[in-house]
Amino acid sequence: MIEIHAKSSLHGEVTIPGDKSISHRSIMFGSISDGMTEVTHFLEGADCLSTIACFQNMGIAIERDHDTIRIHGKGLHGLTAPAQTLDVGNSGTTTRLISGILAGQDFSSVLDGDASIESRPMNRIITPLTRMGADITNENGNGCAPLTIHGKKLKGIHYDSPVASAQVKSCVLLAGLYADGETSVTEPVLSRNHTELMLSAFGADISSHGTTASIQPEPVLSGQKIEVPGDISSAAYFIAAGLIVPNSEVLIKNVGINPTRDGILRVADAMGGNIERLNCRTVSGEPVCDLLVRTSSLHGTTIEGEIIPTLIDELPVIAVMAAFADGTTTIRDAAELKVKESNRIDTVTENLLAMGGDVTPAEDGMIIRGGRALHPAQIHSHLDHRIAMSFAVAALACGGSCEIEDGECVNISYPEFYHDLNRL
Ligand code: S3P
């Protein structure tokens, strides 16, 4: 149980830990490259540690010195059969991306994780991988983990993905490394493009045109030095807190602002948020800046269409911002919220209602009528790290104290979250 007390202001600076998506990929791509990959500012969250453990179980030597990681890659065909089930913990990214790699190996493997993972949809990767010739069974027949993957020689395909999901896109592209010809994926709307940027830096022949990414098989990948930029999905909690807690000024340092991830900044601008972008630079091929956030009087907005994949993980905390804004905020086209670590349409609605918010859930989003003062309540995280952090932010501005049940689950993506928040 974590207790959060309302604050009359927040001041100071916070340096954001490494990006979760880029940290996962650095381990995976480093493992299947030749030579050493050195990763600095790696995110030491439980999800990324699950990815490390999976590759260690397949014979990859990975050394860890705090947030610096050294991966002794063994090339595209250097993984060995794991002696035990690969434990993906709570991590959807690990499960879906690693499946693409495992589908093309010359061994069999089993993937499993916690109760949340065992209820998240995996047919979205089983379908395209099976078209490529993969042999995957889901043990419980419900389209979820545990998954048994018998590695096969794969065929290159073109896949029209029904969902805008970087996990699906990345899974298919990674399987494409082991195919007999070109593999391409078209998504309905562009999702985060870290796989395309990073695989290219490792030496893959990969190209992107609009919402289609294409990859050639059997490249020689070479180890890289990667400095992981700060995770905008973690910065989001400090952005929201700086905007809604009165009399606040917060400098958020080292935030990755890749345009496929920066939707929260565009929404904050549209809501009247005062955010200055400072010290803009490029780190390991990714745009990065510092953000100076000041308390702002926010107003409602509509969030729909192409922006959704660029802020999908930030929607819970954007919903909290909306509850503190004047007027109505409508979120549409975000049915993906239902298949995250929790059903985030339900878990956001439940907790906002508990705090006295005015919210109506919908099939693909929610409508939040802001401007009501929220009051303290018992928060149910449902073991979802983003729900715990979003409602920690709401608690800071609710005029009392809130308890967050299982609030320790922030460990998944931001182990130092409460410590960093306390420093403000
Ligand atoms: C991720 C992609 C997103 C995001 C997840 C990380 C990634 O999932 O929600 O936290 O690293 O590729 P989807 O691809 O399923 O939208």
Side-chain angles (χ1 to χ4, degrees):
M1 190 76 78
I2 298 286
E3 200 173 324
I4 308 270
H5 304 284
K7 295 299 287 183
S8 51
S9 70
L10 295 175
H11 281 277
E13 58 180 59
V14 54
T15 299
I16 293 300
D19 186 276
K20 181 157 80 71
S21 295
I22 294 175
S23 295
H24 279 300
R25 286 161 173 78
S26 66
I27 300 297
M28 298 186 185
F29 304 169
S31 295
I32 58 169
S33 293
D34 290 314
M36 191 168 81
T37 289
E38 186 176 87
V39 189
T40 50
H41 204 54
F42 179 82
L43 172 63
E44 298 174 274
D47 270 9
C48 299
L49 301 184
S50 295
T51 294
I52 290 185
C54 288
F55 282 90
Q56 285 173 328
N57 269 323
M58 292 190 285
I60 303 298
I62 302 177
E63 296 158 41
R64 197 177 142 207
D65 179 8
H66 302 287
D67 66 355
T68 297
I69 308 285
R70 286 185 195 84
I71 306 147
H72 299 269
K74 287 192 172 172
L76 214 49
H77 297 279
L79 301 177
T80 51
Q84 65 240 50
T85 295
L86 295 170
D87 183 359
V88 298
N90 187 245
S91 176
T93 308
T94 310
T95 314
R96 298 201 178 102
L97 269 62
I98 214 173
S99 294
I101 295 174
L102 294 174
Q105 302 302 314
D106 59 4
F107 56 77
S108 299
S109 49
V110 181
L111 286 176
D112 201 5
D114 67 10
S116 157
I117 274 295
E118 288 194 350
S119 64
R120 296 184 65 185
M122 294 298 153
N123 280 334
R124 55 180 57 198
I125 55 158
I126 296 174
T127 300
L129 289 177
T130 304
R131 272 193 49 209
M132 295 178 79
D135 178 354
I136 306 181
T137 46
N138 60 104
E139 299 306 312
N140 298 329
N142 58 356
C144 302
L147 302 178
T148 300
I149 303 181
H150 301 291
K152 292 275 179 234
K153 184 71 202 156
L154 301 175
K155 302 193 282 281
I157 62 165
H158 173 72
Y159 186 57
D160 271 310
S161 175
V163 280
S165 160
Q167 295 182 357
V168 171
K169 170 174 65 178
S170 303
C171 169
V172 175
L173 293 172
L174 286 166
L177 293 171
Y178 299 93
D180 61 0
E182 180 179 275
T183 296
S184 55
V185 185
T186 300
E187 4 181 36
V189 175
L190 186 65
S191 66
R192 66 191 65 190
N193 64 355
H194 305 300
T195 294
E196 296 91 305
L197 296 177
M198 290 177 72
L199 271 182
S200 168
F202 275 86
D205 183 355
I206 185 164
S207 59
S208 298
H209 298 284
T211 60
T212 300
S214 313
I215 194 162
Q216 304 299 327
E218 297 294 338
V220 175
L221 303 179
S222 318
Q224 299 294 308
K225 270 191 188 307
I226 299 169
E227 183 182 340
V228 181
D231 196 328
I232 191 167
S233 299
S234 298
Y237 307 105
F238 296 95
I239 295 172
L243 292 174
I244 68 175
V245 176
N247 310 310
S248 296
E249 185 173 287
V250 180
L251 180 63
I252 310 171
K253 297 181 82 170
N254 187 35
V255 184
I257 51 164
N258 178 314
T260 63
R261 296 286 299 282
D262 71 350
I264 185 171
L265 296 179
R266 289 181 266 153
V267 164
D269 286 345
M271 294 177 83
N274 179 348
I275 303 179
E276 269 182 69
R277 294 157 180 77
L278 307 170
N279 192 17
C280 294
R281 56 205 187 269
T282 301
V283 173
S284 291
E286 293 275 352
V288 171
C289 71
D290 302 335
L291 300 173
L292 183 62
V293 181
R294 297 189 182 93
T295 309
S296 305
S297 68
L298 300 178
H299 48 80
T301 188
T302 297
I303 307 167
E304 62 185 350
E306 292 193 356
I307 201 169
I308 294 294
T310 73
L311 46 64
I312 188 72
D313 291 340
E314 291 67 76
L315 283 171
V317 79
I318 289 173
V320 168
M321 282 160 52
F324 286 91
D326 283 332
T328 300
T329 294
T330 304
I331 300 172
R332 294 195 195 100
D333 304 322
E336 280 294 297
L337 287 174
K338 295 194 280 194
V339 292
K340 296 296 180 186
E341 286 82 331
S342 68
N343 176 335
R344 290 182 180 159
I345 294 179
D346 289 353
T347 50
V348 167
T349 301
E350 174 196 340
N351 287 306
L352 275 184
L353 288 176
M355 297 182 81
D358 184 350
V359 52
T360 309
E363 256 314 289
D364 66 346
M366 58 193 97
I367 297 168
I368 300 141
R369 286 162 290 270
R372 288 194 182 191
L374 297 194
H375 55 67
Q378 172 96 9
I379 302 301
H380 297 285
S381 71
H382 295 269
L383 291 169
D384 181 338
H385 55 131
R386 302 212 185 279
I387 296 299
M389 291 187 275
S390 298
F391 283 88
V393 170
L396 290 173
C398 77
S401 299
C402 294
E403 283 181 342
I404 306 182
E405 190 181 65
D406 295 318
E408 299 80 4
C409 64
V410 303
N411 193 38
I412 289 293
S413 64
Y414 197 162
E416 297 295 310
F417 176 69
Y418 299 115
H419 174 259
D420 286 353
L421 201 54
N422 274 336
R423 288 186 34 237
L424 298 179

